Amino acid sequence: MHFISEELENYVAQHSQPEPELLAKLNKETHQKILQPRMLSGHFQGRVLSMLSKLIRPKTILEIGTYTGYAALCLAEGLSEEGMLHTIDNNEELVEFQKKYFEASDYKNQIVQHLGNALEIIPTLEQKFDLVFIDADKENYSNYFNMIVPMIHKGGVILSDNVLWSGKILGEVKPNDKSTKALLAYNKLINEDERVETVLLPIRDGLTVTRVK
């Protein structure tokens, strides 16, 4: 997922806002104890998520795919004073890990964890959202998008991670590569859907910013 040199990546990180101490600790423990630590948003992308959230100043955030909670804490930095963040994941083994860091943060009373199938949980959230972050199973990206668009306030924003998929979206797609096929379809959908406007940023593994009209 690295499209620029390591030297340039280090320069970018060094000239961006520093990683908060709690997130640095979470980052380190994820790499020490959790499988597939590359799924973590990490310092630079985390600061991008934080900045976007602060610019939007959302009252309600929905995150689809919690992993160890790094991105959730970055997004929570932009919450309005009375704001709430709902985050969904289907990995029961990570719930306590997430909770430990949520409880240690300034946003412990503003984050609600949901365990289970996001496609089943989302319809039960009877509210509208200002900001949504999609970073879960790629095969359901389009399903998540179509489900959440009606649940987003006009002018609200959807952020979608991993949309460049380590560059696989440009190569020949293997017949059994469902994730790449799904992302190709998703990238086409959000670029052509008249309900939204989208820009794809070549940040880390690809991040799209989609605004609901």
Side-chain angles (χ1 to χ4, degrees):
M1 65 172 66
H2 299 280
F3 301 109
I4 61 175
S5 69
E6 184 177 352
E7 185 179 13
L8 270 176
E9 284 192 347
N10 290 336
Y11 182 88
V12 167
Q14 289 164 7
H15 291 79
S16 298
Q17 192 74 18
E19 185 179 37
E21 184 178 348
L22 179 66
L23 289 178
K25 184 177 179 182
L26 192 166
N27 193 336
K28 182 177 180 180
E29 188 172 0
T30 297
H31 279 81
Q32 289 174 336
K33 299 179 179 179
I34 308 298
L35 292 174
Q36 297 181 301
R38 71 194 296 270
M39 291 171 59
L40 190 85
S41 290
H43 172 200
F44 175 63
Q45 183 171 319
R47 292 304 87 204
V48 172
L49 295 177
S50 170
M51 180 66 77
L52 290 171
S53 185
K54 287 172 181 174
L55 291 170
I56 296 165
R57 200 62 178 159
K59 291 182 179 179
T60 49
I61 300 176
L62 172 62
E63 178 186 45
I64 306 172
T66 315
Y67 190 47
T68 56
Y70 191 100
L73 289 172
C74 293
L75 293 167
E77 292 177 26
L79 275 172
S80 61
E81 192 172 334
E82 303 291 324
M84 295 296 296
L85 183 152
H86 291 263
T87 183
I88 306 170
D89 204 281
N90 63 2
N91 190 340
E92 187 175 358
E93 295 179 359
L94 292 178
V95 172
E96 291 305 314
F97 187 101
Q98 300 159 5
K99 187 176 181 179
K100 178 176 70 172
Y101 282 95
F102 292 161
E103 289 291 326
S105 76
D106 294 334
Y107 317 103
K108 60 182 179 181
N109 297 320
Q110 294 178 278
I111 299 177
V112 181
Q113 293 172 267
H114 299 270
L115 175 64
N117 185 325
L119 292 174
E120 296 175 358
I121 293 171
I122 292 169
T124 70
L125 304 176
E126 298 179 353
Q127 60 186 290
K128 290 223 169 189
F129 293 94
D130 301 308
L131 176 61
V132 176
F133 182 45
I134 303 176
D135 187 16
D137 54 313
K138 312 312 167 190
E139 292 173 41
N140 273 312
Y141 267 36
S142 293
N143 292 328
Y144 296 138
F145 173 80
N146 285 315
M147 181 174 283
I148 63 178
V149 166
M151 300 174 66
I152 298 179
H153 287 117
K154 183 177 180 180
V157 172
I158 302 168
L159 304 174
S160 310
D161 199 14
N162 303 119
V163 291
L164 293 180
W165 208 225
S166 298
K168 292 180 182 179
I169 41 83
L170 291 180
E172 182 179 347
V173 183
K174 297 179 181 179
N176 63 343
D177 189 351
K178 295 180 181 179
S179 294
T180 302
K181 289 179 182 177
L183 285 170
L184 285 167
Y186 179 69
N187 289 341
K188 185 174 187 293
L189 169 65
I190 60 175
N191 192 45
E192 297 179 354
D193 194 307
E194 294 184 354
R195 297 172 295 177
V196 302
E197 53 188 339
T198 293
V199 61
L200 197 163
L201 306 176
I203 292 172
R204 197 164 171 261
D205 196 26
L207 180 73
T208 48
V209 181
T210 302
R211 178 182 175 273
V212 177
K213 296 179 182 178

